[in-house]
Amino acid sequence: WDDRDNSFFPSSGRCYEGSYTTYQKMIGSDYTFSRWKADCRDYYPIGKSQVIALQRYLSIVTGDAPFQNLSTFGGKEILRGYPEGYYREKNMLAVQMDYRVTPLLWKLGFAAFVSVGEVAARVDRFSLANVKYSVGFGVRYLLIEKEKLSLRFDWAWGKGTSGFYITINEAF
């Protein structure tokens, strides 16, 4: 489901995506496992130049998945501030919120964000005591005004770690 007003820099609407992927030896895989994913994003405009963006993300892996196919967070999109894949396990749950300001001065915009997430071997093992967090801020440079496509510079801090990211497009 996607009714966002823009896919590069949404300022209203929502995008909900779910998927199921399975790997089975009987259809040629070396492994037997499955992954369920849900990615729910909502965008709330505040006036003409500000947006609150909210993302909820869940990944559940069943079976014997190889290391590279486990659920992870970190990097430039989910829980910025942690190295990509630093936390890795079968199941992952994350919630992120961005406060975004569209270009105010020439082509420069601003963002501030906070994220929380957890990985666990089993869904019933998710624990508030083990939740990881990250906070940060960013500067946006509007590359293509008509498309609202931006170059993103984000600084983020997690528990005992930090990261700096230069990418195109918003994290979500």
Side-chain angles (χ1 to χ4, degrees):
W1 178 271
D2 189 351
D3 67 359
R4 298 173 293 177
D5 61 341
N6 183 289
S7 60
F8 296 126
F9 190 94
S11 58
S12 67
R14 61 187 172 246
C15 181
Y16 297 166
E17 182 178 334
S19 66
Y20 171 77
T21 308
T22 189
Y23 300 80
Q24 302 294 323
K25 289 185 180 184
M26 68 182 194
I27 55 174
S29 177
D30 291 334
Y31 302 93
T32 301
F33 71 98
S34 298
R35 175 188 309 276
W36 297 86
K37 282 200 288 190
D39 185 352
C40 301
R41 304 169 183 200
D42 294 285
Y43 304 91
Y44 305 98
I46 303 172
K48 290 185 177 185
S49 64
Q50 301 169 58
V51 177
I52 297 289
L54 178 65
Q55 180 186 33
R56 285 99 50 220
Y57 189 93
L58 174 67
S59 174
I60 298 173
V61 174
T62 59
D64 295 318
F67 182 79
Q68 68 270 18
N69 289 99
L70 294 173
S71 302
T72 67
F73 62 72
K76 64 185 178 184
E77 293 176 359
I78 299 177
L79 268 91
R80 290 162 275 183
Y82 292 94
E84 189 164 358
Y86 186 76
Y87 288 99
R88 182 181 299 263
E89 190 49 87
K90 281 190 168 184
N91 305 295
M92 187 266 288
L93 175 64
V95 178
Q96 305 189 110
M97 186 174 72
D98 283 18
Y99 168 71
R100 302 173 183 165
V101 179
T102 58
L104 293 175
L105 178 64
W106 188 51
K107 291 186 170 194
L108 295 178
F110 172 80
F113 49 88
V114 60
S115 306
V116 293
E118 172 64 324
V119 293
R122 294 186 356 214
V123 172
D124 63 351
R125 296 267 170 99
F126 282 126
S127 165
L128 287 176
N130 295 322
V131 167
K132 302 348 172 241
Y133 64 86
S134 69
V135 298
F137 69 93
V139 174
R140 306 297 186 256
Y141 175 77
L142 188 59
L143 292 172
I144 303 172
E145 189 171 347
K146 181 180 177 184
E147 299 296 330
K148 294 186 177 181
L149 183 66
S150 296
L151 183 61
R152 172 167 60 106
F153 302 89
D154 283 345
W155 293 267
W157 294 267
K159 195 172 184 179
T161 185
S162 64
F164 175 70
Y165 309 95
I166 302 173
T167 58
I168 293 187
N169 236 352
E170 294 298 326
F172 62 94

